[in-house]
Amino acid sequence: MQRTTKKKFDIIKIIINIILLVLMILSITKKDNIYYAWYWIMVTIMLISEVYYLLKWNKVGEWNVDKKDSKAIRYSFDGLTTGTLLMIGFIYLGVLGYEFLDKSIKTNTYVIVGVYALFTLSIIFDYLALYSANKDTKELAEKTFKYKK
């Protein structure tokens, strides 16, 4: 992914996270149905943007410096990002599924704060996985091509 595209995605994800934080605070303090609805809409947008962001990074083919170590770096990145994406996806689907049994699940303060915290942790783990993969790839390229600054 190009540097400008990555910056745009990072800014969009931060803006969505800030909007989600504001909506979380408003929905907890005001206890109005409109704020709950907007909160869950932003949660959905955040999930979609996270999936799209990881999809864009999945298409990157520049991590193949050599066969063995590049695959290890790639498997580590894919494993961590897949784990975090599945975690937030199952939590999101669990909340939506449990809504059939209990209509007040989406208005529960603990659920709202927990979903926000887990989505934010997911974004942080994805950034860390990306940073680690880029750093390891750079070190591998420097070692392979004997390049030093």
Side-chain angles (χ1 to χ4, degrees), residues 111-132:
V111 172
I112 290 172
V113 172
V115 166
Y116 175 77
L118 290 174
F119 269 66
T120 303
L121 281 175
S122 171
I123 289 173
I124 291 170
F125 283 137
D126 288 341
Y127 281 141
L128 288 174
L130 185 61
Y131 173 76
S132 175

Side-chain angles (χ1 to χ4, degrees), residues 14-27 38-44 46 112 115-117 119-120:
I14 290 170
I15 289 171
I16 290 172
N17 201 3
I18 290 170
I19 292 170
L20 193 63
L21 176 66
V22 169
L23 287 172
M24 178 190 71
I25 292 169
L26 284 173
S27 66
W38 277 107
Y39 175 80
W40 288 104
I41 288 170
M42 286 307 295
V43 166
T44 306
M46 185 180 225
I112 290 172
V115 166
Y116 175 77
F119 269 66
T120 303

